[in-house]
Amino acid sequence: MSKYNSSFWYNDFETDDIIVDQLSDNERKSLDLYKLASSKRAISNFVNIVTNESIPVKFKERGDSYTDGKSVVIGSKIEQPKDFDVAVGLALHEGSHIKLSNFDFLKQLETSIPEEVYLDGEKVGFGRYDVRDHVKNLLNYVEDRRIDWYVYSSSPGYKGYYQSMYDKYFHSKVIDKGIKSDEYTSLDWDSYIFRILNLTNVNRRLDVLPGLNDIYKIIFNNGRVKKLTSTEDAFQVALEVFKVITTNLPEVTYDENGNV
C-alpha cells in the first residue's frame, strides 16, 4: 500500500518501470509531460472543489504559493508522488483563503490598525510601514492556522495532504535544527517571527524569548485559533501578539530630528 495520499485515486505516477525502460527518449519526455499536465489538472481541481468556483491556477517550481482572491499560484515542483501531496495541500490552503478570507479587509489593513499600535511600534524603532508589514505577517500566520483548521476538521479526506504540507514547511529536519539551535533568540523582530511561524513544531522552545509563551497561549490556548470565525477575528489576535512583542523589545531613543 502506498504511503502517499494521492496514490489510491491518482495513478499517473505509477507507470510500470518495465514499460518505461522500453521507451525512447522522446517517448519518455512525452510521458513526463503527460504526467505533469495531468498532475496540474488534478491539483487545479482541488482549488475548484474547495472554493466551488472556477479559479485559475498557475504553477512555478519554486517560490511562495499565494492567492489574490481571484487566482492561485502554486510554488512547488511536481516530480514525485510526495511532491503531489504537498502541492495538493498548498492548493487546498490557497483555495480555502479564497473561500474564507476577507480580501477587502486585507486591502484596508493599514487604516484598520489602531493608532496606538503604530505608537507602540515607534517606541521600538518601527516605522509605520514596518508596523503595517509586521501586523500583516502576524495576521497571515493566525489566518493560515484558522482556515487550515476549518478545512482540516470539516473535510477529513484532506487531512493527509495538509499533513504533507506541514511536514515539509514547518516540521522538516531543517526547521527542527533551527528551532533547537540558539539562532533566532535575540531581542529583535526576526527572532520573534521565526519562533512564531514554527509554533506548531513539537520542538518549539517557548523559553528562548520573553513573552513567547504568552504568544503561544494567545493563539492556541483553549483552542482559540480553532474558534475564530473571520479574518477580523484573526486580526484581533495578531494585534494582541504584536503588543506582546513590542512590550518585550528594547525601546529606542530619538534625537531632535526624529532619528534613532
Side-chain angles (χ1 to χ4, degrees):
M1 182 176 179
S2 175
K3 64 180 180 178
Y4 301 114
N5 303 290
S6 55
S7 296
F8 80 98
W9 62 269
Y10 183 75
N11 61 7
D12 277 1
F13 278 112
E14 307 298 332
T15 308
D16 192 311
D17 289 339
I18 296 177
I19 295 176
V20 173
D21 288 341
Q22 297 174 352
L23 299 178
S24 67
D25 288 343
N26 285 336
E27 288 172 331
R28 290 186 187 184
K29 289 179 181 178
S30 296
L31 179 61
D32 289 340
L33 289 173
Y34 167 75
K35 288 182 179 181
L36 182 59
S38 298
S39 301
K40 290 181 177 180
R41 282 196 300 272
I43 293 166
S44 297
N45 284 338
F46 276 97
V47 175
N48 296 332
I49 291 169
V50 77
T51 61
N52 198 30
E53 297 180 47
S54 181
I55 302 295
V57 180
K58 301 177 182 179
F59 295 86
K60 56 181 183 177
E61 289 193 358
R62 57 180 61 86
D64 295 332
S65 297
Y66 59 89
T67 178
D68 58 3
K70 298 178 180 179
S71 63
V72 167
V73 173
I74 301 297
S76 176
K77 66 178 182 179
I78 311 170
E79 297 176 353
Q80 303 295 328
K82 63 179 180 179
D83 301 329
F84 185 85
D85 282 1
V86 172
V88 170
L90 291 170
L92 290 169
H93 175 80
E94 300 304 336
S96 61
H97 266 302
I98 295 175
K99 180 180 178 64
L100 299 169
S101 292
N102 185 339
F103 285 87
D104 289 333
F105 179 83
L106 295 173
K107 291 175 182 177
Q108 301 169 4
L109 184 63
E110 186 172 349
T111 57
S112 299
I113 298 172
E115 190 62 28
E116 64 188 61
V117 175
Y118 286 109
L119 294 176
D120 287 340
E122 184 179 340
K123 292 176 182 177
V124 296
F126 295 156
R128 292 185 71 87
Y129 290 138
D130 295 325
V131 172
R132 179 202 62 190
D133 290 345
H134 292 340
V135 171
K136 181 180 179 181
N137 286 334
L138 293 172
L139 171 56
N140 284 343
Y141 177 77
V142 179
E143 180 76 343
D144 283 352
R145 304 292 78 72
R146 177 182 81 86
I147 65 171
D148 284 351
W149 172 252
Y150 176 88
V151 179
Y152 186 89
S153 60
S154 61
S155 304
Y158 293 157
K159 288 184 177 181
Y161 301 114
Y162 274 95
Q163 191 61 55
S164 294
M165 178 180 67
Y166 271 69
D167 285 346
K168 178 174 180 177
Y169 292 105
F170 300 108
H171 306 156
S172 68
K173 292 181 179 179
V174 173
I175 295 295
D176 289 345
K177 183 178 179 180
I179 293 174
K180 293 176 181 178
S181 75
D182 289 329
E183 295 184 59
Y184 297 105
T185 56
S186 304
L187 283 179
D188 54 38
W189 171 260
D190 288 344
S191 294
Y192 273 101
I193 196 63
F194 172 81
R195 296 292 169 176
I196 290 170
L197 291 178
N198 294 293
L199 284 177
T200 60
N201 189 298
V202 295
N203 297 300
R204 57 183 174 269
R205 296 168 61 199
L206 302 180
D207 60 340
V208 296
L209 290 171
L212 193 57
N213 188 55
D214 294 330
I215 290 171
Y216 182 85
K217 291 178 180 178
I218 288 171
I219 300 172
F220 294 105
N221 259 25
N222 299 316
R224 185 180 184 186
V225 74
K226 298 178 182 180
K227 300 173 184 177
L228 302 177
T229 60
S230 67
T231 303
E232 291 84 347
D233 288 347
F235 175 63
Q236 293 304 318
V237 175
L239 292 180
E240 291 179 40
V241 172
F242 186 77
K243 180 68 174 180
V244 174
I245 296 174
T246 54
T247 298
N248 286 285
L249 290 179
E251 292 192 9
V252 299
T253 56
Y254 295 87
D255 60 24
E256 63 274 12
N257 296 318
N259 298 315
V260 177

